[in-house]
Amino acid sequence: MRRILFYFKHAISHLWHSGHWTAFAVFCVAAGVATVVALRSLGLSITDSLVSNLRQYNHGDINISSVANFGPFTATFQRGADEPSVFRQGQLDQVRGWASRYNALLSPYTLVSNVQITPLNASGTERPQFTSSFLIDPLTFDQAAPILALDPAGVPLRDLFTGGYEIVISQNLAESQRLGLGDSVRVSGTEQPFTVIGIVATETEASINNILAAFFGFAYFDLRQAGTLGLNPQPNHIGIILPDGTTADEIERLAAELWSVIPIRDMNATPWLLRRNEFISDTLSRFIVAMGLGALLIGGVGIMNTMLVLVRRRTMEVAALKTFGLKAGQIAAVFLTEAFLLGILGSIAGVIAGLLLSGVVNGYGEAFLQQRIPWRVHPEALAYGIILGMVVTMVFGVLPILTAARIRPAIILRPNEIAIPRAGLAYGLLALGVIVGVLGVVAGQIVGPVLETVTDGRAPPPVLIGIAVVGLTVLILGLLVGVMWIIVWVVGRLPALGQVDVRLALRNLSTHRLRTATTLLALTAGMFALSSITYFGLGAREIVRFQFAQTLGGNVMIVPLLPNDIAQGVVNLAIAAQPGVESTTQLNLNLARITRVNGERILIDDAERTLPLTLLTRDTNNAALGSGTLLAGRDLTPEDRGQPVIVLAEQTSLESVVEGYESLDEIGIAVGSTIRLRVGRENIDFEVVGIVGNSNGFTPSPANAYVPPGVPGMARDYRITMVQVAPESIDTFLTNMTAIPLIFALDVSFIDGLLKRIIDQLASIPTLVGILSLSAAAVIMGNTVALTILERRQQIGILKALGLQRGRVLRVILLENTLIGLLGGLLGIGISALGVSLLTLLGAGSAIPLPSDALLITLGLIAASVLIAWGATLLSARIAIREQVARILRYE
């Protein structure tokens, strides 16, 4: 017991007297722990959000639908009175009869996705906004849970509607369209203005079950206005509210029974949603924490660096203790105790910082989930952070502890020849094994349950998976550190151009290359995480714009919901009356199969095959329209109308895997070949006049082949029309088109906006982790600067003794770390630019390393990287720079 008290007393005394360096070591632990606590709290808050209010989101304990749902992006396009996907009156009566036997309440409503809302104001027409629209009976819709308006505050939804042309909108729709109470809007399908009578919270309908409502907002209409809107008044959803106290088992039994009452396309019951959401939230929570472990690893490296420097500083002290009789194991116990105390202090500081961060972090979670996330203190997250902080600190302290244990007592006899012994290969491998093993167990416990669920228990033991993943991660990090080491070595040998300060900065930069390389890697990783999210999102949007502009030929897509025999005529007449139309392209898609090439059967691996094709016909007056990058032959021309000629798209790598052949040449197709296609019941011979694609073999294409309009035997039911509208006329064009009943006009920028919102949503959590990791990198950089200053005290003293002012000494150190910050920013952004160049090369045929919308973001990230370096330097170096020369030299 006395020995343990000695270890703690000695460790506390040293940590107290090394206050500055202890503080930086604590910050390293705290940065990682704060990240883990904040992210774990976010995961638990997501669980709270996803498993609560299920009855409200489901509009009852059971919800049945007459339309097929395919996830949170489900869209329902109504065809008005002819809409078949609704519950007929007889079916509704059957459900009412069934519900009466169980004292259940019904809440029928209609969800429609093809409604657009346009604000009406004196300044002119604005661009229509798509919404998820609900046709409701105000008296029954909110029976599952009361819906109260934000404006007018606290008024129930049922009391807002008075029977006129009224609309209640969501808060996000009101903000995006700048709408308030009393404003008038135009709704697609009618020229009758509607008045905004209420604004409700976005999370009322926006959830993981209705992502489009979260993205673009939603609106409530009184069911009595269905005729005015040109919509079918019959419901396509029915919420069923069972009596309070109904158990989950009873709800599931009644849901199963309901399948036999009427034809149902889709059904949701709250117990099913609960299980699904619990799995989603658990998976997200574990994924989020796993990403946050990177910040702990960065903090662990900082701990190791700090303890190694402190071992060097205390070499004489350790030698003296050994001279007094302490064994190597006892020396190791002293440093182990210090690591334990650092872990406790760092974990406590990290828990406090994590609690402060968690409120901000929840905002990123809401952006990802598109659902309000309540904040509260989660004791589990606090315990999680403390335990992980302690484990990481102790694990990364192994190598310094082993190094301290190897110091020889004979050093005290040669104080001017102090040299720290190396831990040795065996001890180094032992330390590495401990790190991989312990962190592997931790990682396995995090990801193991998810893998077991996904693989139905067929996955290897979680511990083995965790060790394998951590081992691979450490190997990759080792290789990356090696690359950074080479970069630092190269930079350290750059010419100073006669500048003494630059020469000193470059020399100091490469003095401890391994430590500098580690810091540079942390900074580069954070910058890459933030820049890549932006770059890849903008790059994907560039590809979408390219495909619509170059291949499909327009910036507005029109889809009529009218009967086929009159649809195209109505569309053509409507377009002819609109201003600003530059070109129109009518698209028609046919499915076909290649059955013969040059009269011969197709043989692949000695087996006869017929190969599927999607044929796109474009009847256009857009002279700039093309089929893609021409690889051979020619593209289609107006003179080809009615001729059996075809332009084929070369296989992409993905298609080659699916179809079983790599290229058109492999199956004997080239320019001039004749191929026979089976289109429906027709067999048509086409001459191949061109092949398009991309020489890299990856570019996606809207279709496998392009044929001219008017070819006999091809279906001619054009259902999609692309229109190129002058930018200054597009708002008026869309407004006029949406006023025509059952005409669905979609601005292509809507798709771009949808893609942006999806990317922003998916990127919110990685962005958060990137920011937190970058914060941890800033801490480790400050720690590195502090350790470097500690080791250069003699150099600083000599420079100041020779007459250098402390401002100039600080400038040299600032210049050195500016190089690291600038280099880290450029490397991280450069890797992102390389990745987005590859993405756009594969998707659009030309490399775009820096998307046009990313210039300001790029400059901001580079500036942030440099500012991090400056902040770390000023906070870490000024204390040592201010010390007196005599004190520094006496210390040394």
Side-chain angles (χ1 to χ4, degrees):
M1 187 65 184
R2 292 177 58 188
R3 184 173 297 177
I4 294 176
L5 290 176
F6 167 76
Y7 295 152
F8 273 94
K9 181 179 179 181
H10 192 86
I12 293 172
S13 175
H14 177 262
L15 293 177
W16 176 260
H17 290 294
S18 302
H20 296 151
W21 322 121
T22 300
F24 281 112
V26 168
F27 287 156
C28 286
V29 180
V33 171
T35 301
V36 169
V37 170
L39 293 179
R40 183 58 177 165
S41 296
L42 171 61
L44 295 173
S45 296
I46 287 176
T47 300
D48 291 343
S49 179
L50 288 180
V51 301
S52 62
N53 299 325
L54 289 178
R55 201 183 201 193
Q56 174 182 329
Y57 294 135
N58 199 41
H59 296 289
D61 299 287
I62 302 172
N63 189 291
I64 61 176
S65 172
S66 61
V67 294
N69 293 319
F70 301 99
F73 294 102
T74 297
T76 305
F77 301 101
Q78 262 235 18
R79 299 169 183 253
D82 297 327
E83 174 60 42
S85 298
V86 294
F87 291 112
R88 302 299 176 184
Q89 187 61 46
Q91 295 172 328
L92 192 56
D93 291 339
Q94 286 180 287
V95 177
R96 285 198 175 100
W98 176 88
S100 64
R101 298 203 306 268
Y102 300 103
N103 297 320
L105 302 175
L106 296 188
S107 178
Y109 62 95
T110 299
L111 174 61
V112 184
S113 303
N114 55 309
V115 171
Q116 300 181 69
I117 293 175
T118 309
L120 294 177
N121 52 52
S123 61
T125 303
E126 296 189 19
R127 186 162 302 187
Q129 172 70 57
F130 278 95
T131 65
S132 290
S133 297
F134 295 81
L135 296 178
I136 67 170
D137 180 348
L139 298 179
T140 63
F141 184 70
D142 62 352
Q143 293 179 108
I147 299 176
L148 303 178
L150 298 176
D151 192 10
V155 177
L157 180 66
R158 63 179 58 202
D159 295 339
L160 292 173
F161 289 97
T162 62
Y165 298 108
E166 299 161 336
I167 180 175
V168 175
I169 61 176
S170 60
Q171 185 178 21
N172 58 341
L173 178 60
E175 292 172 351
S176 65
Q177 297 295 93
R178 300 181 298 278
L179 291 170
L181 290 185
D183 288 342
S184 295
V185 298
R186 175 178 289 178
V187 183
S188 57
T190 179
E191 295 186 0
Q192 171 65 50
F194 278 69
T195 302
V196 177
I197 59 169
I199 299 173
V200 297
T202 302
E203 58 266 19
T204 304
E205 299 293 345
S207 68
I208 196 172
N209 293 333
N210 193 342
I211 295 296
L212 291 180
F215 284 164
F216 302 106
F218 60 89
Y220 294 125
F221 295 93
D222 194 321
L223 183 63
R224 289 174 287 184
Q225 301 302 333
T228 304
L229 298 171
L231 300 174
N232 194 316
Q234 293 299 123
N236 56 20
H237 287 76
I238 302 175
I240 301 172
I241 303 97
L242 297 171
D244 292 339
T246 305
T247 65
D249 290 340
E250 290 173 329
I251 294 174
E252 292 191 75
R253 179 182 61 79
L254 293 174
E257 180 182 320
L258 193 56
W259 281 108
S260 61
V261 176
I262 61 170
I264 298 171
R265 296 291 298 276
D266 193 62
M267 177 188 291
N268 275 321
T270 50
W272 305 344
L273 294 176
L274 179 62
R275 286 196 292 269
R276 182 202 66 181
N277 288 2
E278 284 179 341
F279 175 74
I280 291 174
S281 62
D282 184 62
T283 302
L284 279 175
S285 178
R286 293 176 184 277
F287 173 70
I288 290 169
V289 173
M291 290 196 299
L293 287 179
L296 265 180
L297 291 177
I298 293 174
V301 172
I303 285 289
M304 185 169 63
N305 287 340
T306 302
M307 294 190 68
L308 283 172
V309 172
L310 293 182
V311 168
R312 177 185 179 89
R313 185 184 178 190
R314 298 167 61 189
T315 302
M316 290 293 293
E317 174 191 340
V318 173
L321 289 174
K322 282 196 169 184
T323 302
F324 294 149
L326 267 69
K327 305 297 183 182
Q330 294 171 315
I331 296 296
V334 170
F335 280 90
L336 185 65
T337 305
E338 290 187 16
F340 176 78
L341 293 175
L342 286 174
I344 291 178
L345 294 174
S347 297
I348 293 174
V351 164
I352 296 172
L355 284 176
L356 297 176
L357 277 175
S358 60
V360 178
V361 166
N362 276 14
Y364 286 88
E366 290 177 350
F368 175 78
L369 203 61
Q370 295 297 311
Q371 186 171 320
R372 191 176 67 86
I373 297 179
W375 182 90
R376 68 180 178 88
V377 176
H378 295 277
E380 178 186 338
L382 309 186
Y384 209 81
I386 290 176
I387 293 172
L388 280 180
M390 292 295 301
V391 169
V392 169
T393 303
M394 301 292 284
V395 166
F396 277 89
V398 169
L399 186 61
I401 290 170
L402 294 176
T403 302
R406 287 173 59 83
I407 294 177
R408 298 178 180 277
I411 289 177
I412 200 170
L413 302 177
R414 298 189 297 275
N416 294 324
E417 301 178 11
I418 295 177
I420 299 181
R422 296 183 179 274
L425 179 61
Y427 282 155
L429 293 176
L430 174 62
L432 183 62
V434 171
I435 291 173
V436 172
V438 174
L439 294 184
V441 171
V442 173
Q445 295 303 313
I446 293 175
V447 303
V450 176
L451 291 176
E452 288 182 356
T453 301
V454 171
T455 61
D456 294 327
R458 293 191 296 269
V463 172
L464 295 181
I465 295 175
I467 291 175
V469 170
V470 172
L472 180 61
T473 303
V474 169
L475 177 61
I476 293 173
L477 290 176
L479 295 175
L480 292 176
V481 169
V483 172
M484 296 299 169
W485 189 95
I486 295 173
I487 292 174
V488 172
W489 181 83
V490 171
V491 172
R493 277 156 177 74
L494 292 176
L497 303 177
Q499 298 294 318
V500 176
D501 291 355
V502 175
R503 179 72 272 163
L504 287 172
L506 291 175
R507 180 179 179 183
N508 293 336
L509 188 69
S510 57
T511 300
H512 295 281
R513 283 191 289 271
L514 183 60
R515 189 187 305 157
T516 304
T518 305
T519 304
L520 184 59
L521 176 61
L523 193 58
T524 300
M527 283 295 158
F528 169 74
L530 293 180
S531 60
S532 62
I533 292 166
T534 300
Y535 283 16
F536 279 84
L538 293 175
R541 293 168 61 195
E542 292 277 2
I543 294 172
V544 170
R545 294 169 188 162
F546 171 84
Q547 290 288 7
F548 273 95
Q550 301 298 321
T551 308
L552 298 182
N555 54 7
V556 176
M557 178 187 295
I558 299 177
V559 181
L561 302 177
L562 297 163
N564 291 344
D565 54 346
I566 65 171
Q568 196 59 49
V570 173
V571 170
N572 291 342
L573 288 174
I575 293 174
Q578 305 305 319
V581 176
E582 297 176 349
S583 66
T584 60
T585 303
Q586 296 171 350
L587 305 178
N588 184 40
L589 202 64
N590 283 274
L591 300 180
R593 298 191 77 87
I594 307 176
T595 60
R596 293 287 189 273
V597 176
N598 295 323
E600 301 291 335
R601 296 177 302 167
I602 301 173
L603 297 177
I604 299 177
D605 297 330
D606 298 326
E608 183 176 356
R609 296 277 301 277
T610 62
L611 305 176
L613 280 182
T614 53
L615 304 178
L616 183 62
T617 303
R618 299 166 299 177
D619 194 352
T620 182
N621 57 4
N622 184 351
L625 191 63
S627 303
T629 304
L630 197 62
L631 301 182
R634 65 174 177 85
D635 208 339
L636 297 177
T637 65
E639 289 73 24
D640 291 323
R641 175 180 288 271
Q643 300 300 313
V645 295
I646 190 169
V647 171
L648 294 175
E650 184 58 272
Q651 285 282 92
T652 66
S653 294
L654 178 61
E655 288 169 333
S656 67
V657 172
V658 175
E659 304 299 342
Y661 70 99
E662 295 183 357
S663 66
L664 296 173
D665 183 64
E666 182 185 348
I667 56 176
I669 296 179
V671 173
S673 298
T674 299
I675 62 173
R676 177 167 295 174
L677 300 182
R678 187 169 65 244
V679 185
R681 298 181 179 180
E682 299 285 336
N683 287 308
I684 309 172
D685 288 335
F686 286 88
E687 177 189 355
V688 178
V689 297
I691 297 175
V692 296
N694 192 279
S695 56
N696 57 46
F698 287 91
T699 301
S701 177
N704 302 122
Y706 303 88
V707 297
V711 176
M714 301 288 290
R716 301 178 185 177
D717 294 332
Y718 295 111
R719 296 307 308 275
I720 298 177
T721 300
M722 298 297 301
V723 185
Q724 184 64 38
V725 182
E728 64 274 10
S729 303
I730 195 168
D731 289 348
T732 302
F733 180 89
L734 288 168
T735 301
N736 293 340
M737 292 300 295
T738 55
I740 303 172
L742 301 181
I743 294 293
F744 184 68
L746 173 66
D747 180 8
V748 169
S749 65
F750 170 84
I751 298 177
D752 181 63
L754 176 60
L755 183 61
K756 179 182 182 299
R757 290 171 187 251
I758 293 173
I759 291 172
D760 289 345
Q761 178 188 359
L762 297 179
S764 55
I765 295 298
T767 298
L768 169 65
V769 175
I771 292 173
L772 295 177
S773 297
L774 194 60
S775 301
V779 171
I780 193 175
M781 190 170 187
N783 182 65
T784 300
V785 174
L787 298 179
T788 302
I789 295 298
L790 174 62
E791 293 180 323
R792 295 182 192 163
R793 291 170 65 93
Q794 186 180 48
Q795 178 191 24
I796 293 172
I798 293 173
L799 290 175
K800 296 179 75 172
L802 292 175
L804 265 70
Q805 299 298 319
R806 63 186 183 186
R808 187 173 180 185
V809 175
L810 180 61
R811 187 163 61 248
V812 172
I813 300 172
L814 195 62
L815 178 59
E816 171 190 343
N817 288 285
T818 299
L819 289 174
I820 296 177
L822 187 60
L823 194 59
L826 291 176
L827 284 173
I829 292 171
I831 297 171
S832 297
L834 181 63
V836 79
S837 296
L838 181 61
L839 175 70
T840 52
L841 179 64
L842 301 181
S846 60
I848 306 175
L850 185 63
S852 56
D853 299 335
L855 180 58
L856 290 178
I857 296 174
T858 301
L859 296 176
L861 288 175
I862 293 176
S865 183
V866 173
L867 288 175
I868 287 173
W870 287 356
T873 302
L874 294 175
L875 289 174
S876 306
R878 291 181 66 88
I879 297 173
I881 296 299
R882 289 177 176 177
E883 286 198 48
Q884 299 296 322
V885 175
R887 181 178 177 183
I888 294 175
L889 298 179
R890 183 170 61 250
Y891 170 83
E892 295 296 334

